[in-house]
Structure formats: C-alpha cells, structure tokens
Amino acid sequence: MSISTTRRRSATAVRTAAVIGSGVMGAGIAAHLANSGMRVLLLDVVPGELTNEEADKGLTLDDAAVRNRLAGRAVANMARSQPALLYDSSWTSRIRPGNLTDDLALLGDTDWIVEAVVERLDVKREVLAAIESARRPGTLVTTNTSGLSVAAMAEGRSKEFREHFAATHFFNPPRYMKLVEIVPTEDTAPEVMELLEELCVSRLGKGVVVARDTPNFIANRIGTYGMLVTLADTIRFGLTVEEADALTGPALGRPKTATYRMLDLVGLDTLLHVVDNVRERSGDEAERAVFARPQLLEELVASGRLGEKSGAGFYRKRKDADGRSRIESLRFGTMEYGPQVRVSSPVIDAAKSAKGAAAKAKALLGANPKDRYAQFAWSTVKATLLYSAAQVGVIAESVVDIDRAMKWGFNWELGPFELWDAIGLEASVERMKQEGESVPEWVEAWLREGHASFYQTSERKRFYASPSGGLSEERQEEDVISLAALKADGRTVLGTPGASLIDIGGDVVCLEFHSPNNAIGGDVLSAIRQSAAEVSRNWRGLVLANEGRNFCVGANLMLLLMEAQAGEWEEVEDIIRFFQDSMLRLKRLDRPVVAAPHRMTLGGGVEACLPADVILLSPETYFGLVETGVGLIPAGGGCKEAAISAMQRAGLSAAAGAGRDGATPGDLQPHLNALFETIAMAKTSTSGHDAAKLGLLRPQDRTLVRQDARIAEAKRLVLELDRAGYTAPEEERVAVGGRESKAVLAMDVQAMRLSGHISAHDALIAGKLAHVLSGGDVRQGARVSEQYLLDLECEAFLSLCGESKTQERMSHMLTKGKPLRN
C-alpha cells in the first residue's frame, strides 16, 4: 500500500528496530536506538572460519555462538565501551545479536531497519535487496552512508520500498554527536521524511538537517574542504602542526581537537576516502581539483601512519625512559616527529581572552594583517566561507542548514554564515574582492539590496538570507526555550555578575548561572536568595537551568583556598553558612522549583539541584559530589541530603516512629554504605540515567531524552506542580545511623588504609564524611534536625580546610585541573 494512502504513524509507534552491520557505526547506532527504549535486532554476516578460542571450546561453524559472533561481540563490548555507548550498561538486554543468514526473516517484525555496512555501493545494494525480501510493507529503511549516492542505492528496489527509504547519516559516536543528516531521494514520501525527523528529534534527541543527495552531504563536505585548505595553508605559511591547531581551535570558536588532532581521530585513510568520493562523483573540474589527494596525506597513509588508530599520524604518543607519556608532533620538512612545542603569540592571546565565539573570531581575524598567524587564519576562514556560500542550493537548501550541520556535526560554536556575520559581512566581502576572490553572485546581490548580515532578528524570531532573495523565517525547534534570546528581548527580571533571573513565560522564571565555569560564588548565592524572595512574591515557580557548556562545576575553589591559606576561618565559615542557607531557602520556597542540569554537574552544582522538588536531568548529565577529590566533603547540604536519601530508601519517613511496615533503624546501614562509597570515591554518573545509581536522586527525579527541550519541560513541570496545589516541604526530622553506623564505616576505612588502597589523608577525609553521614555520636535511629546535620558538615569542612594536604589538593586542582593523591 502506498504511503500516501496510509495514516502516518507517530514516532512513539516505532518500537522495534534492526541494524544491519555491527561495526563501529552499526554498534553505536544500535546502542543509541536501545537508549531510546527500542528493542533492537543487530545483524551481521556469518563468519567463514573459527577463532582459536572457538576451536578450543569444540565449537563448529554451525554453532549459533559462532554464527552470531560478530554481532554478539559488538553487544558484549557495548557494556564496557569508553566512551560509553549506552546510558545504562544493563540495556544491552534490549539488543539481540544475530546474523543475516539465519535471522533475516526477523526483519518482518521490525518497524525501522538501519543499514550500516561497509561504504561500498555494490555491498549496500546487495544488503538492501535482502532487506526488501524480508521486510513487511510500510517498514522504514534507512542507510547510514556518509556520502554515497542514496538514489543509486535504491535502484532496482520496488516503488513501495523507495517511498520508505532515505539516508540517516549519524555522526560518530551516535550517542554524543547531535547531528543526523537525513537525505531523501526523489521517491521518498513526505510522510516518511516527517516521521524520520520526528524519530530522530523526539526519540533520539538529535538535531536534524535535510541534505541533498550530493557527495558527502553537508557537514563532511564543508568540513573536509576546510581541512584540505588548512593543510595547504599550513605548508604555504610555513606553520607547524601545533601552530595551525592553536589557530583553528578554541581561538576560532571550534573544538580543542582543532584540525590535526581531529584528523588523527577521524583517521587519515578515512579522510582520503571522503576526498576520493567527492572528486570521483563531481562533474565540476574545479571541484575535482579542490578535492585532489594531498601528497602529504598519501605519504602518511602509505607509511601506515593513519592517526590515533595506528598510534601515529600528525601527532604520536611516546613513553620516556622513566615511563612518562609525551606527545610528539610531525615535522613536515623531515616527516619525522619532535617534541610538542607550546604556541603563544599576542594574536592568539587576544582571541583567547575575548568573550564568546564571535568576539574571539573577530579578534583573531581582525588582527594585524601583517602578522603571519593572522594571515593564515584569514586565509583558511576566507576559503571556507566562500566555499560554503557556493554550496547553498547545491548541497543544502539554506544557510541555516549549513550552519546547523557544522555546529552539530563538527561542534563549531558558529556556523560559516554566523561567523561571517560576526566578523562583518560587508567589510569582509570587500576585503575578499580586493584580494582577487570571486564572491558568489547571490551574496553580492544580497549586499546590493542593502543587507548587512545573513541573519536578522526581530521580535524573538530569526530570519535568514534566501539565495532567491528576501528573508525567510528560521524554523525554531519545538519545545525549545532560548535564554539568550529571552535576555536579548529584555526579559531579565534580576541580575548579578554571576547569575540572571529570566522570565520564560507562563509566570515562571529561570535562574541562569553565568559565572566563570558556572562556579558558585557569592554573587550566585546572592542571586539565589534574591530570586527566592522574588519568586515567592510574584511568580508561580522557578527553574534552575542555563545554557553554558556545563551546568555547574562546583563552588568557587579559588576563593576558599585563598581564605584558608590566609587563616581567615570566620570568612570560610561565613561562606559555608551562606551556601547552606541559600540552599535551604530554595528547599523551603513556597513555590515549586525544578532543576534541569546538563553535562558536568559537580559538587556545589549537585547541591544546588538537591533542594529542587524535581531534578530533570539530560541524558548527558555527569552528576556527582566530588569534593573528596580536593580534600573536602560536601558542605552545602550535600551530606545532609544524602542522609535524608538513606532514610527514605530505608523506608523510614520523616515523622518519628513512622515508616514502612517492618522498617527499623538498622535498615539504614546498606544505604549509608552505598552513599558513603559514592561520595568518598567522588563517583560521577556517566549519564542522566546512570545518576540514579549514585543514590542521590528521588523517585520523582527523571531524565529527558531530548536535552534541548529540558528548560521547556522543566517549566511544564513547575506549572503542573503549581496547578496541583503546591505547598512548601516541611522541616525534615532525619533518622540517622549514629554511632553504630559510624563504626561500620570506620572499619571499612581502616581496612582500605591497611591494604594500601588509600592514603592517610584519604582516611582522614573519609572519617569526617562517615561522622557527618551517620549523624555523629548519637544513638542509632535518633531523629535529628536538618540544621544539626548542616552544623556537622560545616565543622568537618572547616577542619579539613585547615589541613595542609587538603590545601595542596585544592591548589593542584586549580593549577593542573586534576586531583592530587597525597
């Protein structure tokens, strides 16, 4: 039956999937489909021979374990992969391994089939023919090709198959990279495109860009071109690998991997494959010349230097005689490696010190034009901008599609056209023309019409330049609230240097941290207190969220260290009490509070979330009380909330004498043991789903698949709580483990110390933590106030701040960015 006569399914109706091919991409896609809750069938070919291990076990080629070996190994490896492919390692149970010979018929029971086999057109056509023989009509079929012709793959397939067929190009690793390029053919039904986009966005949490069926689609096409230009200009300007990376990374609003580290990660042989694909499929001689194979890359690949997977590429890691690892870089003149050299210059320093990607790019590209670094940066950026402009209407419909593809697929902070606007469209085009460059006619026409930028904003809507003339409104993602856009529209209610309270509509406000690294200091705490008072008077509820790289990496460690080294103990205590009181005000607020943390949410960041009525985590939330790593314990209410969590998990309610049937104070111990281990070892979750295992979350806390919608969803939860007749939580009377629990934890600490697993200072910290979590020297099951536990936190924190080894740990973290074990 034709799709046009069938009622379109919703994304929630797609419950089962199959992935064909269990290599790196196939396994990654299968894992991420399992992350979304789907049941997944992972198929690969039947091996042609036994491994030595299989032969030793007496297995034959007819045994299922052998026939399913490739997919089975892929599933087994998912549970221990680094970085983790699954949000929860136990979710391998959602994936069934099999093979294409014995299990092909099972495709008839799946809703979505993803082909992810080797990038060869003949092999893909063969696999798609097999899929068609087994699938039921109406089943979605997509290919994960990174750049082969999608239409060519579908040749020979039935009309009904072609209507349900497109490319879904996931970027690697599929769990972490936001971009999915969906590439239809002329036969792909519009309803299928809508369903695929809904699946990728709402179920998988991705950002979708629709690409045209051209070689390497959008992101890889422009990204590869940029890398080729950078390689040529590195040689032309006589720069080193390190110098080029210093100029094409964060200084330009791009990842730390910059160019050459990125090439090593991708694989130099893979890059050549991409280059060949564009050149061989292009009918334009100028384009073919642009994508010629660089001799340098051919030499490296021929010598087996493929990048990280072979141990050497543009960089390599070597061990010194003392066993220390060091990074060496390639010298283009000799093709040998030498010690890595730190790069510094006024041009780079100016770009790094500028705030925001736009300002960084402007500082770098607007520097002294006689400076060699500035010349190189301008040359590479200029070429990429002009190439991107020439591809509008060729590889993508609009400037928005290209910008989103580069931001989501290559982690650029600004897409090419956003970058062009940032450095000044009119001035930069004039400079290009003076340098003899040919600017695409549609860009020239756009400027002649009086426009000074590709993007324009009006009434919180963004419009973009259409190559055919005029402005088109940028389609905004549904259920996405942009704090930056709201602030630009004048919706800031309160503000301090470190935080802002923003009206997000519906009589709900959002408290956004924007201090350096979103660390919690006095200005943030003041904003929390002011916001609590403001919300109580005038609003229905409060959301805690921000759009920084990380939600919050903890408290202001530098301030604490300075006060501790100066012996200003009253000041340190004031800081702790101020933090504790601010968190209590959030917890006692007579309006609902929902925290929506993302990415790194550590130490004080966790303590800022724990007072909320609901914590709404994103899948990529790395959540943990990590204070022991700097020689301290949580003292902003973290230990107190952990003790409350243990009580609740043991079935003992806050009311004295009440609790789950049969629950006794002794039931606290296993929960205290688990929480003690979590905090003492500074454990951090590997995902939002994994955070529940740390013992700090409550039944009402949850994880939202689509990270971009977390602020909108948090707002919805606030309004839901408000409509239900919200009342502020009452003071907790906490049942604690007391002396008995403290003794049990102390025995564990002593055993670890005697076995050499922890240092004497580790044992000291752990002893302080055990004292606080257990409620100090009271009887088992005693009921204590929250303030009592906060006092214990403060006392322990202060005593540890006075320890020289703790101060050494704090200093080491600030200077080296990693923990010190002393």
Side-chain angles (χ1 to χ4, degrees), residues 582-602:
S582 300
M583 297 305 105
L584 273 181
R585 292 192 186 203
L586 277 181
K587 186 169 184 177
R588 300 281 176 263
L589 186 60
D590 58 354
R591 299 287 187 269
V593 179
V594 175
H598 67 287
R599 290 183 60 83
M600 289 174 65
T601 304
L602 306 175

Side-chain angles (χ1 to χ4, degrees), residues 723-745:
R723 284 191 294 269
Y726 181 82
T727 57
E730 296 181 2
E731 166 78 17
E732 300 268 12
R733 296 294 297 177
V734 187
V736 294
R739 291 181 292 269
E740 290 84 349
S741 289
K742 179 180 172 182
V744 171
L745 297 177

Side-chain angles (χ1 to χ4, degrees), residues 443-457:
V443 177
E444 296 250 43
W446 185 251
L447 288 170
R448 285 196 299 270
E449 290 173 12
H451 301 287
S453 62
F454 291 112
Y455 289 96
Q456 296 177 27
T457 303

Side-chain angles (χ1 to χ4, degrees), residues 14 21 25 65 78 97 156 212 257 264 361 369 427 445 449 458 484 494 510 575 664 672 699 717 733 773 789:
V14 178
M25 283 305 299
M78 288 176 194
R212 291 188 175 182
T257 48
D264 279 354
E449 290 173 12
S458 176
L494 295 171
C510 177
I575 292 170
T664 68
L672 284 173
L717 290 172
R733 296 294 297 177
L773 285 181
L789 290 172

Side-chain angles (χ1 to χ4, degrees), residues 397-673:
E397 292 294 331
S398 70
V399 299
V400 173
D401 291 333
I402 291 176
D403 278 349
R404 287 181 170 179
M406 299 315 298
K407 289 190 293 183
W408 296 344
F410 276 72
N411 290 323
W412 291 6
E413 290 188 51
L414 297 173
F417 298 97
E418 292 171 328
L419 175 60
W420 212 335
D421 280 354
I423 64 175
L425 176 59
E426 293 175 293
S428 59
V429 166
E430 183 60 32
R431 180 178 176 182
M432 291 172 184
K433 291 165 70 175
Q434 289 176 358
E435 293 171 354
E437 303 293 349
S438 176
V439 178
E441 171 55 28
W442 77 267
V443 177
E444 296 250 43
W446 185 251
L447 288 170
R448 285 196 299 270
E449 290 173 12
H451 301 287
S453 62
F454 291 112
Y455 289 96
Q456 296 177 27
T457 303
S458 176
E459 297 180 349
R460 279 183 282 151
K461 294 180 180 179
R462 194 162 82 147
F463 300 85
Y464 62 89
S466 171
S468 59
L471 286 166
S472 298
E473 183 179 344
E474 181 179 356
R475 188 184 70 166
Q476 298 299 320
E477 296 180 90
E478 293 183 5
D479 299 324
V480 173
I481 291 176
S482 168
L483 298 180
L486 290 170
K487 287 196 293 185
D489 198 41
R491 301 282 285 275
T492 301
V493 178
L494 295 171
T496 72
S500 296
L501 188 66
I502 304 160
D503 177 2
I504 58 176
D507 290 330
V508 178
V509 283
C510 177
L511 181 59
E512 172 202 44
F513 303 163
H514 45 68
S515 59
N517 294 317
N518 285 347
I520 297 178
D523 52 354
V524 172
L525 294 174
S526 293
I528 289 173
R529 295 158 76 96
Q530 292 175 49
S531 297
E534 169 66 20
V535 171
S536 179
R537 287 192 301 264
N538 300 314
W539 304 86
R540 295 174 67 183
L542 175 67
V543 169
L544 296 175
N546 63 66
E547 295 170 334
R549 176 170 175 77
N550 299 298
F551 176 75
C552 177
V553 297
N556 187 332
L557 193 61
M558 175 63 78
L559 176 61
L560 281 169
L561 178 60
M562 290 172 58
E563 298 290 4
Q565 288 177 331
E568 298 289 349
W569 303 118
E570 289 185 3
E571 291 293 333
V572 175
E573 182 171 0
D574 286 345
I575 292 170
I576 300 167
R577 296 294 187 187
F578 194 47
F579 198 135
Q580 292 178 340
D581 183 67
S582 300
M583 297 305 105
L584 273 181
R585 292 192 186 203
L586 277 181
K587 186 169 184 177
R588 300 281 176 263
L589 186 60
D590 58 354
R591 299 287 187 269
V593 179
V594 175
H598 67 287
R599 290 183 60 83
M600 289 174 65
T601 304
L602 306 175
V606 171
E607 290 177 307
C609 293
L610 293 177
D613 299 289
V614 178
I615 303 175
L616 180 69
L617 302 100
S618 78
E620 303 306 335
T621 302
Y622 316 124
F623 197 80
L625 292 168
V626 296
E627 286 85 350
T628 58
V630 290
L632 299 167
I633 67 165
C639 290
K640 180 255 296 182
E641 292 297 327
I644 293 172
S645 175
M647 174 185 71
Q648 292 170 342
R649 287 168 181 265
L652 299 166
S653 78
R660 187 184 59 210
D661 289 346
T664 68
D667 292 329
L668 279 167
Q669 196 63 54
H671 302 289
L672 284 173
N673 291 347

